[in-house]
Amino acid sequence: MWGGSWFGGSGGQKRKEAPKKAILDLRQQLDMLQKREKHLENQMAEQEAIARKNVSSNKTAARTALKRKKAHEHSLEQTSAQISMLENQIYSIESANINQETLLAMKNASDAMKQIHGKLTIDKVDEIMEGLGDQKALADEIGNAIANGPQAGEPIDEDELNEELGQLEQEELDEKMLKTGPVPVLPTGPNGDLIGKGKTKAVPIQEEDDEEEELRKLQAEMAM
């Protein structure tokens, strides 16, 4: 397991700076070797030019120039190998440093999640959700109770209610009949049979009252 000195503290800080310092040193050495490589290439070109110049007139000088060129070429091969090795080391250290930084970020994320969750567990989550469900059910019951309202007094007698409703309907029917106008009166015979069935003519109530009034006045005049 990684200790605290790996990711934090003074030891952790030194570990964090070590890759940067190593990369810086390697790059400085790499820069020096690349300059040496360029110098050796120039020396080889110069000795080759001397050999070409003296190949016909002075073979000894030409041979000496070629020997120097070979020595420079050997040094160039060693320098190129060293450059390749340093480049590989720089790449490895950079990759390892990136891996370490990635692990540090992941560890910080894990610590943050632990802090956020705290002592929260699946059982506690289930308990909270169950409590929310109970409270919602209670709220629904309260809402329904408020919507329906309290039932004040004794229960209503449905028979009494129907009887009162029937009386109201009869009163309304009687009122409508009074507003329809006079009711026809049919003459009857000695036995109570209707006279002139089929030819019934409605006699207004007002006219009948007038006739009776005139009859009473006539009887009064005769009595005098």
Side-chain angles (χ1 to χ4, degrees):
M1 292 181 65
W2 298 299
S5 61
W6 183 265
F7 290 108
S10 59
Q13 184 64 26
K14 291 180 180 179
R15 290 178 182 273
K16 187 175 181 181
E17 295 296 331
K20 296 181 181 179
K21 185 177 184 304
I23 291 174
L24 180 61
D25 294 341
L26 289 171
R27 288 193 181 280
Q28 290 176 350
Q29 185 65 19
L30 179 63
D31 183 62
M32 186 273 291
L33 290 175
Q34 289 174 341
K35 290 180 180 179
R36 177 177 172 77
E37 183 182 42
K38 186 65 175 177
H39 174 72
L40 290 172
E41 289 174 351
N42 292 335
Q43 289 294 318
M44 289 174 58
E46 182 179 346
Q47 294 302 318
E48 183 178 356
I50 293 174
R52 289 178 182 278
K53 180 180 180 181
N54 294 285
V55 68
S56 298
S57 60
N58 190 348
K59 289 185 179 181
T60 301
R63 185 183 296 275
T64 302
L66 288 177
K67 287 182 179 180
R68 290 174 181 171
K69 178 186 176 184
K70 288 294 183 181
H72 293 323
E73 184 177 357
H74 180 69
S75 296
L76 179 62
E77 289 176 356
Q78 291 180 339
T79 302
S80 297
Q82 292 173 354
I83 290 174
S84 178
M85 182 178 61
L86 290 180
E87 289 176 342
N88 289 334
Q89 288 181 351
I90 292 173
Y91 174 77
S92 297
I93 293 175
E94 287 178 341
S95 297
N97 190 50
I98 290 174
N99 291 337
Q100 178 182 340
E101 295 294 335
T102 302
L103 289 174
L104 176 60
M106 293 174 65
K107 181 180 182 301
N108 292 337
S110 177
D111 293 341
M113 292 184 67
K114 289 179 181 178
Q115 184 177 1
I116 292 171
H117 290 154
K119 297 181 179 180
L120 191 63
T121 62
I122 297 299
D123 294 336
K124 289 185 177 181
V125 173
D126 293 338
E127 182 180 353
I128 291 173
M129 297 305 296
E130 183 178 356
L132 289 175
D134 294 340
Q135 293 302 317
K136 183 179 183 302
L138 177 60
D140 292 340
E141 292 179 2
I142 293 174
N144 293 332
I146 294 175
N148 294 331
Q151 300 294 331
E154 297 179 356
I156 298 176
D157 188 346
E158 294 294 335
D159 294 337
E160 182 180 352
L161 185 64
N162 292 332
E163 182 179 355
E164 184 176 355
L165 180 62
Q167 292 177 357
L168 293 176
E169 291 176 348
Q170 185 61 42
E171 291 177 0
E172 183 179 3
L173 180 61
D174 294 343
E175 184 177 355
K176 287 182 179 180
M177 292 180 65
L178 292 175
K179 292 180 179 180
T180 55
V183 179
V185 177
L186 297 178
T188 57
N191 298 328
D193 296 333
L194 294 176
I195 300 175
K197 183 181 295 185
K199 297 181 181 180
T200 304
K201 183 177 181 181
V203 179
I205 297 176
Q206 186 63 36
E207 293 180 359
E208 183 178 2
D209 293 340
D210 293 342
E211 292 176 354
E212 291 180 354
E213 182 65 23
E214 291 179 359
L215 181 59
R216 285 196 296 269
K217 288 181 179 181
L218 181 61
Q219 291 177 349
E221 291 177 356
M222 294 178 63
M224 290 178 62

